[in-house]
Amino acid sequence: MKLDVLTLFPQIITPALQTGILKRIQESGELVVNTYNIRDWTTDRHKTVDDYPYGGGAGMILKPEPIFSAVSAMHPTEDTEIIYLTPQGVPLTQSIVEGLSIKSHLIFICGRYKGIDERIRKKIVTKEISIGDYVLSGGEIAALVLIDAIGRILPGALGDFESAHEDSFSKDFLDHPHYTRPVEFEGMKVPEVLLSGHHENIKKWRYTQAIIRTAERRPDIIKNLELTDEELDILREDKNN
Ligand code: SAM
């Protein structure tokens, strides 16, 4: 996958790509991230990227010309997804991440100030994505959230032992609780079943805990699932305890 990031602050993006899974997946060649400064596509002496809003009001708007030129220099094809990170976009979910992870070319446009000229959204943006109902000062951190979420599920990014399929939002229920050594810490013991070596029982305990945890923390998810009789029994029993 080729992923081009257009930003006024490449220095926010680049260092975050030099560590851990993101570094590994780039080294493997599965993911190529290029970060570009939108300012490089300005044509005036002052390298102007923003201007005052028509109609007045506070804040500056990113001008259309440099962003149109920058996107065009990325040679988008019919299959390229041109994504504007914006609080007005569709809220990001794991299923959106999975959909994007099978694309071969993504372009991210990071806004700043009051945002971008509307004509950019109308003419060249193919998808608008929000990372949540709050407002950041720029799109760079949102772009990094997406790069991380996509990068870690590309083939070869995670070893078998840290398989993404076991994580929350990759299956119906949230992930189950995890424990590591020591067996007892500050008076709290690791559940007996996890020490038993009985794989079937461990699997059942994890499944049960995942269901209970999801019901407690995300009733909205549970409400939209068609639970089996076994799953309903688990929840009933938990309520009675
Ligand atoms: N005036 C815009 C609005 O109310 O919709 C907000 C502009 S915000 C201060 C500046 C830039 O940060 C946006 O252009 C966008 O690229 C980015 N941004 C802010 N919040 C975001 C969010 N929740 N998700 C994705 N990008 C966000």
Side-chain angles (χ1 to χ4, degrees), residues 84-88 109-116 129-132 134-139 142:
Y84 174 45
L85 287 315
T86 164
Q88 299 178 24
I109 301 173
C110 304
R112 275 272 152 178
Y113 320 124
K114 271 282 159 192
I116 61 173
I129 294 180
S130 163
I131 64 159
Y134 42 82
V135 178
L136 303 164
S137 51

Side-chain angles (χ1 to χ4, degrees), residues 82-179:
I82 303 172
I83 298 169
Y84 174 45
L85 287 315
T86 164
Q88 299 178 24
V90 287
L92 184 60
T93 60
Q94 188 65 22
S95 92
I96 293 177
V97 170
E98 282 163 15
L100 293 175
S101 74
I102 54 172
K103 297 269 177 184
S104 56
H105 187 201
L106 304 177
I107 299 174
F108 290 169
I109 301 173
C110 304
R112 275 272 152 178
Y113 320 124
K114 271 282 159 192
I116 61 173
D117 186 284
E118 189 64 15
R119 289 162 291 190
I120 302 168
R121 310 165 88 129
K122 281 193 171 150
K123 191 75 186 240
I124 52 179
V125 167
T126 59
K127 224 185 201 52
E128 300 188 29
I129 294 180
S130 163
I131 64 159
D133 288 350
Y134 42 82
V135 178
L136 303 164
S137 51
E140 290 74 16
I141 289 171
L144 282 173
V145 166
L146 255 177
I147 297 171
D148 188 283
I150 292 170
R152 69 186 289 281
I153 59 167
L154 291 178
L158 297 179
D160 268 356
F161 62 94
E162 45 186 1
S163 165
H165 305 295
E166 300 296 316
D167 288 325
S168 305
F169 310 114
S170 294
K171 46 194 174 46
D172 286 345
F173 304 111
L174 298 178
D175 199 6
H176 56 76
H178 298 274
Y179 290 89

